Coordinates of all heavy atoms in Angstrom, one line a residue:
T367 N 83.9 87.8 129.1 CA 82.5 87.3 129.4 C 81.5 88.1 128.5 O 81.8 89.1 127.9 CB 82.2 87.6 130.9 OG1 82.1 89.0 131.1 CG2 83.3 87.0 131.8
L387 N 81.9 105.6 109.4 CA 81.0 106.5 108.6 C 81.8 107.6 108.0 O 81.5 108.0 106.8 CB 79.8 107.0 109.4 CG 78.8 107.9 108.7 CD1 78.1 107.1 107.6 CD2 77.8 108.4 109.7
T390 N 83.4 106.0 104.9 CA 82.6 105.4 103.8 C 81.6 106.4 103.3 O 81.2 106.3 102.1 CB 81.8 104.2 104.3 OG1 80.9 104.6 105.4 CG2 82.7 103.1 104.8
F404 N 82.1 93.8 115.2 CA 81.6 93.3 116.4 C 81.4 91.8 116.3 O 81.5 91.0 117.3 CB 80.3 94.0 116.9 CG 80.6 95.2 117.6 CD1 80.4 96.5 117.0 CD2 81.0 95.2 118.9 CE1 80.7 97.6 117.7 CE2 81.3 96.4 119.6 CZ 81.1 97.6 119.0
A417 N 90.8 94.5 128.0 CA 91.5 95.8 128.0 C 91.9 96.1 126.6 O 92.1 97.3 126.3 CB 92.7 95.7 128.9
G443 N 82.8 105.3 89.2 CA 82.4 106.0 88.0 C 83.4 107.0 87.7 O 84.3 107.4 88.5
I496 N 97.0 99.7 114.6 CA 95.6 99.6 114.0 C 95.7 99.4 112.5 O 95.0 98.6 111.9 CB 94.7 100.7 114.4 CG1 94.4 100.6 115.9 CG2 93.5 100.8 113.5 CD1 93.6 101.9 116.4
H514 N 97.9 119.3 103.7 CA 96.8 119.4 102.7 C 95.6 120.2 103.2 O 95.1 121.1 102.6 CB 96.4 118.0 102.1 CG 95.2 118.1 101.2 ND1 95.4 118.5 99.9 CD2 93.9 117.9 101.3 CE1 94.2 118.5 99.3 NE2 93.3 118.1 100.1

Side-chain angles (χ1 to χ4, degrees):
T367 66
L387 182 63
T390 62
F404 277 102
I496 289 171
H514 176 76

